[in-house]
Amino acid sequence: MQIKKTYYSISEVSKILDIPEHTIRFWESKLPDLSLRSQKGKTRFFNEKHISMLSKINNLLKNNDSLSLAFELVSKKNSKKSSLNLNNLSKKVVESNQSKHKINQIRTIANNLKTLIIEK
């Protein structure tokens, strides 16, 4: 039987999620509610909610979404209007992916034009 802890250290969270400690510290600098701090302000403590948020950020970033969008999504999930905000954010994700697709199309067209100009 495994006993769940109430709080985890940054090194434990790093091992659980397979994320480097410096990455977790950086994310926390951008999203202050990502951990609890001791009174001296040096030691970080993470509970299950924090670990879940870190995991969500990590998954979003693995899917090539922007860091700011990941933070916005995670912070909005915890607000009172989360269902409305999540709908808006999911639209932003779709729009972001559409924008990336359009940019790739424009790059392809530009490369084709460049090739045509060079050939002449």
Side-chain angles (χ1 to χ4, degrees):
M1 179 173 87
Q2 187 176 2
I3 299 173
K4 284 192 171 185
K5 295 172 61 173
T6 305
Y7 294 105
Y8 298 86
S9 70
I10 193 167
S11 61
E12 292 171 322
V13 173
S14 175
K15 288 176 187 173
I16 291 169
L17 298 176
D18 193 29
I19 301 172
E21 291 180 31
H22 68 271
T23 303
I24 296 171
R25 286 187 195 95
F26 174 74
W27 292 349
E28 190 211 11
S29 73
K30 300 295 182 188
L31 192 65
D33 295 335
L34 211 48
S35 71
L36 301 173
R37 293 267 183 132
S38 67
Q39 288 183 348
K40 294 180 182 179
K42 293 185 178 184
T43 307
R44 293 167 175 86
F45 296 101
F46 300 87
N47 60 23
E48 292 293 330
K49 176 183 163 190
H50 298 133
I51 294 171
S52 173
M53 287 171 49
L54 286 167
S55 177
K56 289 174 187 173
I57 291 171
N58 191 39
N59 289 335
L60 285 170
L61 294 175
K62 282 183 180 178
N63 293 329
N64 297 323
D65 290 323
S66 71
L67 184 59
S68 60
L69 183 61
F71 288 140
E72 187 177 348
L73 182 60
V74 171
S75 64
K76 296 291 182 187
K77 275 188 178 179
N78 296 322
S79 71
K80 292 179 183 176
K81 301 176 184 176
S82 63
S83 62
L84 295 175
N85 290 331
L86 287 177
N87 289 334
N88 291 337
L89 288 172
S90 63
K91 288 178 187 176
K92 285 183 182 180
V93 170
V94 169
E95 290 171 0
S96 173
N97 289 336
Q98 289 172 345
S99 296
K100 288 177 187 176
H101 181 68
K102 287 179 182 178
I103 289 170
N104 287 334
Q105 286 178 330
I106 292 170
R107 285 185 181 144
T108 302
I109 293 169
N111 286 335
N112 290 340
L113 288 173
K114 186 193 272 184
T115 303
L116 285 173
I117 291 171
I118 292 172
E119 288 176 358
K120 288 185 177 184

